[in-house]
Amino acid sequence: MSAPFRLAGLLRLRRLNEDAAAARWGSAAAEHRAARSRRDDLYGRAVAGDTTPDSVASLRAIAAARSSTVALLAELDAATMTAEQAERDLRDAWTAARTATAGLEKLEERHDERTAHAELAADQAALDELAVTRHGRGPTP
């Protein structure tokens, strides 16, 4: 019978923490991509806009639209930078969680190897004992 890995509960907890960190990182990455996409889309529309004014009123409207677009682009740039930083922080948190899990996984692997080796040694000892006992009895009919 193999001995249970004594840190199995801690390893399960670390794996759960790692999975949660990966989920948070994935969510932050999606938010970052969405913010960057909104910003890039607005930049594209601002550059592609028709700027040939027909009158003074349309020139003022274009100036007002450009002004609000610049303000919106500044907000989107800030949101993109914030989302990028959040993604970076959560990626670092996942890396730390993965590192903590990996150490315990290596311990578990070593434990499993030692347990398997001990079981094989016990089986071999039993076979050796059977061979010695059988050899002492003489030939079998």
Side-chain angles (χ1 to χ4, degrees):
M1 178 133 219
S2 65
F5 181 54
R6 287 190 247 169
L7 299 175
L10 180 60
L11 180 58
R12 278 192 300 279
L13 177 64
R14 294 265 173 94
R15 285 181 177 150
L16 288 173
N17 287 339
E18 179 186 346
D19 291 346
R24 286 190 302 270
W25 175 27
S27 176
E31 288 176 23
H32 177 220
R33 284 190 303 274
R36 191 174 52 226
S37 175
R38 284 190 307 268
R39 182 198 64 193
D40 293 347
D41 182 49
L42 188 58
Y43 269 117
R45 283 187 287 154
V47 170
D50 184 17
T51 60
T52 55
D54 295 337
S55 66
V56 174
S58 64
L59 184 60
R60 286 183 182 154
I62 290 171
R66 289 249 166 107
S67 177
S68 68
T69 301
V70 167
L72 185 56
L73 283 171
E75 287 179 25
L76 286 174
D77 282 341
T80 301
M81 289 174 32
T82 301
E84 183 178 8
Q85 183 61 44
E87 179 186 1
R88 194 176 310 122
D89 292 345
L90 290 171
R91 182 184 57 232
D92 292 344
W94 172 81
T95 300
R98 180 66 198 130
T99 301
T101 303
L104 280 176
E105 286 174 343
K106 287 179 184 177
L107 285 175
E108 182 182 40
E109 286 173 14
R110 282 190 223 135
H111 172 266
D112 291 345
E113 288 172 4
R114 282 192 304 266
T115 302
H117 181 64
E119 287 176 358
L120 289 174
D123 288 346
Q124 186 62 47
L127 290 173
D128 290 347
E129 182 64 30
L130 277 173
V132 167
T133 306
R134 186 172 208 136
H135 181 66
R137 289 188 188 164
T140 58

